[in-house]
Structure formats: C-alpha cells, structure tokens
C-alpha cells in the first residue's frame, strides 16, 4: 500500500505487508505499528514545510498513510495556556468534528478502509469512537455497525443514528460489545475497527504528538496528561515522538506520560502500582467518564511500557473530583470539558500536591472531548449535586437491549 513500508508487530517485531487490510499479528495477537521509510521522507520533510499548510491533521501527510483522506477538518486543535498557570496548557480536542479526539483515529481508519475497498466496518465503543466512525463512514459511503453500552451519553446514540449507522445497544460494558463484534464479524463480513486491533487509529491519533511539538515550538513539555481508556492517543503520541526524533525534528527528550483513569475503572493504575507488565480485567467498572470505562485495554502492555520509559505514572481520580474539575474548567477557563478530559485537571492538581510535578513544570492536559456531548450526564450530576455514575441498566450483563 503506497506510502507504507511495512507493519511491525509491537510484541514480536515481525514485519507484515500492508498490501491487504491487517488486524493484529497472526502469531501473538500484538497490535501492529505502521512503519514508513523515514530515512527517505527525512530528505524532503523539514519542519518549515508545515508553514502555511491547512490547520488540520493532514498537514503531517508525509507521515500519514494516505494522500486522499476522507477529511472533515479534524486536528490542529487549540493549545491554550491556562489563565491561572501559564505553564499549564489545555489541548482542546473538543473542537474536533464529532466533538472529540476520536475523530483523528477514525478519520485515518476509515480513509484506509476505503483505500482497501472495505464495505462494512464494525466497532465496540464507549460512545465517542462510535460517533466518529459513523460520521466518517457517512462521508465515505461505507456501512458502520456499532455496538455500544445502553447507557452511553445520549448525544453519541443520536449522532450515530443520524449519521445512518446500524446501532446495537448492549446491556453491558465495552468488553461485552467487543465480544459481540468478534462473534459476528466473520459471518457478517465486518472489518473490526476496535481500539488497537487495526493499525490506523494510532496513526490518526499520533498527530496529537506532532501538534504538541509544533504548537510548543518544538520543545516538548515536561509532562502530558492523557485520560486513558484503550490508550490509543498515548501510544500514538509516543510513536510520533520517535518518528520526529528520526526526522531530526526533536531530540531524545520525552515528556513524562501520565495515564489518568477513573477510580471506578482503573486497570492501568492498578497494574502500574503493582509493577505488572499487563493489566487485570477490572470488575464492576463504573464511572461517569464513559470513555474511561474500559475494564482491560487491549494494548495494556504498550501503555505500561510507555509510562515506564517516560518516567511517568498512572493516577486514578474519583467521579466527584472529575465533576468538580468539569465545573472548574468551565467557570474559570471557559472550557466546557468532557468528564474524561476534566479528569486530567483533577489528576494534575493531585500530582502537584504530591510533588510528583512542580507548578513551574510545563504540562499539557488533554481535554479529549466537549462537555456538550455529556449534557445529560452533567445535567444529572448538577441536579443531584453529585455525579451519577454510569452503569448498566439491569443486571442482564451482556444482553442486547436494542438490536437493529
Ligand atoms: C472523551 C474521551 N476521552 C478519553 C477516552 C479514552 O481514549 P483512549 O481509548 O484512546 O484511551 C475516550 C474513549 O472513548 C473518550 O471518549
Ligand atoms: Zn507478533
């Protein structure tokens, strides 16, 4: 496939051709990285070339898999210094198409699906990935088959239906949705776009790493706070830093990568604290930050490895702290954040208090989505004076509530 040199397994290092659609490594199930011939790209892709290019993620097209994207204008979101501490930057991903950073990954995945002439894509989703898949599939003329928990924020469901996706609501978690996609995909002819089970969502999300560098004038921050469900963006940004080093755009320095999770579902934090290389599945996952309700990330081994290599850490925050952070960012910065994004602010405050970071450290807090997508969840919390934790409607875990 044109620009891609090969795919590389993140577990065994095996090289796999990109001439047909790939999922995971056939030997060990490892997630695949897309590799380019950076040595040749290097010769004609200098940082200055970016000047004057369109303000979207395809400004980095030399290191992206396609020259013919299905674009809705995703990426190049604002990097705004906080009004209270100019060392703290809020990277506002809520301004992406479909209101979250998921647009980047799904844009790349759907673009490549069209290049591979795939006709039907399926995804298990906590909500925002579903909306993004549905939108890009609508633009590409590809069928989207979506499995999401029945208690997803209303916006996600309404968006998916409006974009014309086939939606199945599941009385369970994203892990139950993933199992259903898995069971049915062969018979239905669906290509599985699940987090880290295809290589292109990482390619889209890695552009956040390029933007962090470009928007901070090629000097990476001391730390990056990333609300972690499946960890695609964290993995993507780390890959971007490696690529940029090979392109000679940055040096060896790296930010501390900080994985932020909700205390009601914190498998990465638990594994990190126990010095384990992989996470255990979290039982009874519950949090108002729907995107963080991922009981076991597929690429947990990569996330934990990056936290170690970057001298970062993993930290859990409660739904109360998340809700307070939503209100704080909105009232003090004018940023109405998704609960997942606001979790970054809550985590930052704790890590400064614990002296893991200094207030003078330059940090980027990722607001991964718009609060407007969570109006029902946030309104509910405001009415109750406290967050109402999302949880399946009945105990019939894994059952389908509304098939299409
Ligand atoms: C707003 C938001 N933030 C963060 C996440 C977690 O993202 P990732 O799966 O890349 O870790 C999600 C996932 O659904 C999300 O919707
Ligand atoms: Zn492998």
């Amino acid at each position: 496939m044109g620009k891609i040199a090969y795919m590389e397994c993140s577990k065994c290092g095996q090289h796999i051709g990109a001439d047909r659609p790939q999922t995971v490594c056939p030997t060990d199930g490892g997630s695949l990285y897309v590799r380019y011939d950076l040595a040749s790209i290097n010769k004609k892709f200098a940082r200055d070339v970016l000047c004057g290019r369109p303000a979207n993620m395809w400004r980095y097209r030399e290191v992206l898999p396609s020259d013919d994207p299905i674009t809705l204008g995703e990426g190049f979101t604002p990097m705004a210094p906080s009004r209270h501490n100019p060392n703290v930057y809020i990277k506002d991903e809520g301004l992406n198409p479909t209101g979250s950073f998921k647009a980047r990954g799904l844009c790349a995945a759907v673009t490549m699906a069209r290049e591979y002439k795939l006709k039907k894509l399926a995804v298990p989703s906590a909500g925002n990935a579903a909306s993004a898949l549905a939108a890009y599939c609508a633009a590409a003329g590809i069928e989207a088959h979506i499995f999401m928990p029945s208690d997803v924020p209303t916006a996600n469901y309404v968006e998916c239906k409006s974009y014309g996706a086939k939606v199945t609501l599941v009385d369970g978690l994203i892990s139950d949705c993933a199992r259903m996609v898995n069971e049915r995909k062969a018979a239905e002819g669906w290509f599985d776009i699940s987090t880290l089970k295809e290589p292109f969502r990482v390619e889209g999300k890695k552009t956040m790493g390029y933007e962090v560098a470009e928007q901070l004038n090629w000097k990476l921050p001391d730390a990056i706070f990333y609300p972690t469900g499946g960890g695609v963006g964290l993995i993507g940004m780390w890959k971007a830093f490696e690529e940029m080093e090979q392109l000679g755009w940055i040096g060896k320095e790296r930010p501390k990568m900080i994985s932020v999770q909700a205390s009601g579902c914190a498998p990465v934090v638990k594994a990190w604290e126990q010095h384990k290389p992989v996470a255990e599945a979290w039982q009874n996952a519950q949090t108002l930050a729907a995107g963080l309700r991922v009981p076991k990330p597929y690429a947990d081994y990569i996330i934990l490895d990056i936290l170690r290599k970057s001298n970062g850490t993993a930290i859990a925050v409660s739904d109360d702290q998340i809700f307070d952070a939503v209100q704080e960012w909105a009232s003090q910065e004018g940023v109405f954040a998704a609960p997942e994004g606001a979790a970054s602010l809550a985590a930052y405050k704790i890590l400064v208090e614990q002296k893991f970071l200094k207030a003078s450290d330059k940090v980027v807090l990722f607001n991964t989505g718009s609060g407007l997508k969570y109006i029902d969840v946030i309104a509910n919390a405001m009415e109750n004076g406290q967050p109402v934790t999302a949880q399946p409607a009945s105990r019939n875990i894994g059952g389908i509530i509304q098939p299409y």
Side-chain angles (χ1 to χ4, degrees), residues 85-266:
N85 178 352
N87 301 314
V88 173
Y89 289 81
I90 305 167
K91 178 75 172 145
D92 196 355
E93 292 291 301
L95 288 139
N96 274 302
T98 71
S100 90
F101 70 154
K102 297 277 172 182
R104 297 177 188 260
L106 275 311
C107 173
V110 173
T111 290
M112 293 310 290
R114 186 182 64 167
E115 293 205 4
Y116 286 116
K117 305 203 172 4
L118 297 170
K119 299 277 183 266
K120 299 177 183 182
L121 307 183
V123 81
S125 169
N128 285 321
S131 314
L133 178 70
Y136 287 96
C137 278
I142 291 176
E143 273 181 32
H145 297 263
I146 282 161
F147 288 73
M148 51 191 186
S150 57
D151 56 357
V152 284
T154 310
N156 295 129
Y157 176 73
V158 174
E159 281 179 278
C160 289
K161 295 294 282 184
S162 304
Y163 289 128
K166 309 268 194 266
V167 182
T168 300
L169 291 180
V170 174
D171 187 9
L173 299 174
I174 189 168
S175 38
D176 300 295
C177 299
R179 185 172 39 74
M180 288 178 189
V181 170
N182 217 19
E183 282 165 5
R184 290 182 51 191
K185 62 187 178 193
E188 303 276 1
W190 298 335
F191 186 79
D192 186 353
I193 301 279
S194 296
T195 296
L196 273 315
K197 292 189 191 161
E198 67 76 56
F200 296 110
R201 285 175 66 179
V202 167
E203 287 307 288
K205 286 256 189 102
K206 83 177 180 192
T207 55
M208 296 189 296
Y210 280 87
E211 287 176 28
V212 166
E214 186 180 355
Q215 291 174 320
L216 296 180
N217 205 15
W218 307 107
K219 185 152 174 8
L220 295 180
D222 297 304
I224 293 181
F225 283 70
Y226 182 79
T228 307
V232 189
L234 186 107
I235 295 169
M237 282 193 274
W238 196 252
K239 180 175 190 278
F241 300 148
E242 283 172 4
E243 289 177 359
M244 283 190 280
E245 188 182 341
Q246 288 182 50
L247 291 169
W249 290 10
I250 60 167
K252 290 209 169 318
E253 72 286 352
R254 296 288 184 272
K256 291 184 166 73
M257 300 301 282
I258 296 165
S259 222
V260 182
Q261 298 205 295
S263 22
C265 181

Side-chain angles (χ1 to χ4, degrees), residues 8-14 16 24-32:
E8 184 181 2
C9 174
S10 56
K11 283 192 177 158
C12 68
Q14 183 179 164
I16 294 167
V24 293
C25 172
T27 312
D28 53 24
S31 300
L32 301 179

Side-chain angles (χ1 to χ4, degrees), residues 173 262-268 270 280-286 294-296:
L173 299 174
S263 22
C265 181
V268 172
K270 188 170 172 204
E280 255 169 57
W282 190 272
Q283 301 304 316
N284 300 319
Q286 293 185 3
V294 180
K296 175 160 166 61

